[in-house]
Amino acid sequence: MKIALSSDQHVAESSVYQRYAAAAQAVEPALCCPVEYSTDLLKVIPQEIIERDYGCGDPTPYVRSGETVLDLGSGGGKLCYIAAQVVGPDGRVIGVDCNREMLGLARKHAPAVAEQLGYANVDFRYGLIQDLALDLDQLAGELSEHPVNDPAGYLALRHTEERLRREQPLVSDDSVDCVLSNCVLNLVRQQDRRQLFAEIFRVLRRGGRAAISDIVSDESVPERLQQDPELWSGCITGAFREDEFLKAFEDAGFHGIEIVKRQAEPWRTVEGIEFRSVTVVAHKGKQGPCLERGQAVSYRGPFKKVQDDDGHTYYRGERMAVCDKTFKLLQQEPYTNMFDAIEPRKVVPLEDAEPFDCRRSARRHPRETKGLEYHATTGATDGCNDEGPCC
């Protein structure tokens, strides 16, 4: 449901900037839930950053060595500096924030952290997380040369914005392996949230993932509470409803969406509505042509059947026909060891593959895999493994 934005909610949203700008200068415990991080990864991070870190989870365990990582709403830089150690000197980390005070805090300590690590792989950029193409530092430079004083200037500014997005994007398409965020998505305006998830999807490479920690609610939050500046800026009443949070990833085109961590007890309860932290991991890569190459997968269990994000049903122990893309996808995270992959006896070359109808769930007869003319007969083997005979 789309909620019309009132003047009260504009006040609530402007309070986000003011509150976090102040929090960059002095500690505000009310802005965060207790989170445990690896102590080894905190040693190189200045205490000033640690004290002014405001989050509700730790998505960094889903970062891999050598990757390019993007942290949305990077604040003082704590998550970026943790990720910098995980990706190592061959990886790189980009932090994006629209709060100049928080950016100043993060950038101030970058040289000292780099000296301790022995390499510099973190870059903090000024931008909105729902508009990752627009570099606000570049826009500021354009405005200084061409101030907006009238409607004509405003129209010219809009063209300038589009040019910057197109020619010098803050974060390019398909350039990031892992997108992180820690308790920031709930601060984005309701009408910008579809664009927010579309931007996360846009910047990720095929095969990349988003690992997002955020506050969710167990019930819909009334508009009256959304308009409260303190509750909104405190990461409370802007919270996604839990099921709608997952649906937002699905609508953006992600697959393999799972809650990898969910706080059992609520962080806060307001008028009977529970607010708690969750960490969600979602993957990019199910887009593309569906080609028939005679492949099948067999779901191992434990459920009688499961359904994927495209509506394909897999029945336990049964050979289900899949396209080449899905066949490969189901052998990767987060589906590893859930399916047995069954190749045809005669491999169909990719250039000879016909289109596969992915709109239906169909079983594949074993003869499709082996071939109609397959009539082999074999004897008993000497043994099932190196330790001795099977029986």
Side-chain angles (χ1 to χ4, degrees):
M1 181 177 69
K2 190 171 182 179
I3 301 173
L5 209 66
S6 68
S7 60
D8 289 335
Q9 189 162 348
H10 282 297
V11 171
E13 289 167 355
S14 66
S15 70
V16 172
Y17 189 98
Q18 297 167 7
R19 189 167 183 178
Y20 277 82
Q25 310 300 323
V27 180
E28 187 178 349
L31 281 176
C32 58
C33 315
V35 181
E36 291 186 4
Y37 297 90
S38 170
T39 53
D40 289 341
L41 297 175
L42 296 179
K43 291 178 181 177
V44 303
I45 302 176
Q47 192 62 31
E48 184 182 19
I49 291 177
I50 293 174
E51 290 175 350
R52 289 160 177 76
D53 175 64
Y54 307 104
C56 59
D58 179 15
T60 58
Y62 304 96
V63 172
R64 307 285 181 262
S65 176
E67 290 188 329
T68 295
V69 174
L70 171 65
D71 180 21
L72 303 181
S74 50
K78 178 178 175 180
L79 221 61
C80 288
Y81 290 130
I82 290 174
Q85 299 169 72
V86 178
V87 302
D90 295 329
R92 59 193 295 251
V93 179
I94 303 165
V96 172
D97 207 295
C98 67
N99 189 293
R100 281 199 175 278
E101 287 77 12
M102 282 292 185
L103 277 174
L105 174 62
R107 287 169 170 169
K108 179 176 73 171
H109 292 287
V113 174
E115 185 177 355
Q116 290 195 64
L117 293 179
Y119 54 85
N121 64 349
V122 182
D123 177 21
F124 294 101
R125 302 178 186 178
Y126 184 32
L128 295 165
I129 64 173
Q130 65 268 38
D131 190 359
L132 292 169
L134 183 61
D135 187 325
L136 294 183
D137 277 328
Q138 291 185 2
L139 183 62
E142 294 281 350
L143 283 170
S144 66
E145 294 182 13
H146 308 286
V148 175
N149 301 312
D150 53 33
Y154 168 71
L155 293 174
L157 176 63
R158 293 180 63 181
H159 288 298
T160 298
E161 288 182 5
E162 288 306 311
R163 175 176 57 79
L164 291 174
R165 290 187 182 98
R166 183 178 63 254
E167 298 178 359
Q168 297 174 285
L170 183 73
V171 185
S172 301
D173 296 0
D174 308 310
S175 62
V176 173
D177 298 298
C178 184
V179 172
L180 304 177
S181 185
N182 192 357
C183 206
V184 176
L185 271 56
N186 66 80
L187 298 173
V188 173
R189 301 186 309 173
Q190 296 282 2
Q191 68 266 40
D192 291 339
R193 292 187 175 184
R194 181 174 291 274
Q195 179 184 352
L196 166 65
F197 281 88
E199 283 290 88
I200 296 172
F201 191 84
R202 175 183 68 80
V203 301
L204 276 170
R205 295 188 177 109
R206 185 179 185 84
R209 77 206 77 85
I212 310 294
S213 296
D214 222 298
I215 297 294
V216 296
S217 62
D218 63 343
E219 300 179 48
S220 296
V221 179
E223 186 177 353
R224 170 179 54 82
L225 292 180
Q226 292 185 41
Q227 294 171 357
D228 185 300
E230 183 177 355
L231 290 175
W232 183 279
S233 62
C235 301
I236 298 297
T237 55
F240 291 81
R241 201 175 71 199
E242 190 166 346
D243 59 324
E244 292 178 346
F245 190 45
L246 298 174
K247 185 66 163 53
F249 287 96
E250 183 181 342
D251 290 345
F254 287 94
H255 72 90
I257 304 156
E258 57 180 331
I259 299 175
V260 294
K261 190 169 184 179
R262 182 179 186 274
Q263 189 179 24
E265 294 299 319
W267 173 44
R268 285 192 62 182
T269 302
V270 179
E271 297 186 8
I273 303 172
E274 293 183 350
F275 297 88
R276 57 173 41 83
S277 169
V278 298
T279 299
V280 172
V281 175
H283 301 258
K284 177 179 176 177
K286 70 186 182 74
Q287 291 66 35
C290 297
L291 300 175
E292 170 64 274
R293 300 187 71 195
Q295 298 142 318
V297 295
S298 177
Y299 171 57
R300 292 181 174 180
F303 298 105
K304 185 175 182 179
K305 62 181 179 180
V306 292
Q307 188 178 74
D308 67 16
D309 291 292
D310 287 326
H312 306 135
T313 302
Y314 306 95
Y315 298 90
R316 183 177 54 208
E318 297 194 38
R319 298 180 181 214
M320 303 303 297
V322 291
C323 70
D324 181 61
K325 177 188 63 181
T326 301
F327 181 76
K328 293 174 180 175
L329 208 64
L330 295 180
Q331 297 177 63
Q332 303 169 10
E333 290 185 345
Y335 314 106
T336 309
N337 298 324
M338 293 176 61
F339 295 86
D340 286 316
I342 304 167
E343 291 271 17
R345 193 169 65 90
K346 292 184 177 180
V347 176
V348 178
L350 196 59
E351 58 270 19
D352 296 337
E354 299 289 336
F356 180 93
D357 185 2
C358 263
R359 294 172 298 179
R360 62 189 181 94
S361 297
R363 293 166 176 80
R364 196 179 290 284
H365 193 281
R367 281 289 171 182
E368 286 188 71
T369 302
K370 295 182 293 185
L372 295 175
E373 303 303 319
Y374 183 69
H375 300 292
T377 300
T378 63
T381 60
D382 292 335
C384 291
N385 52 52
D386 295 337
E387 296 178 1
C390 293
C391 55

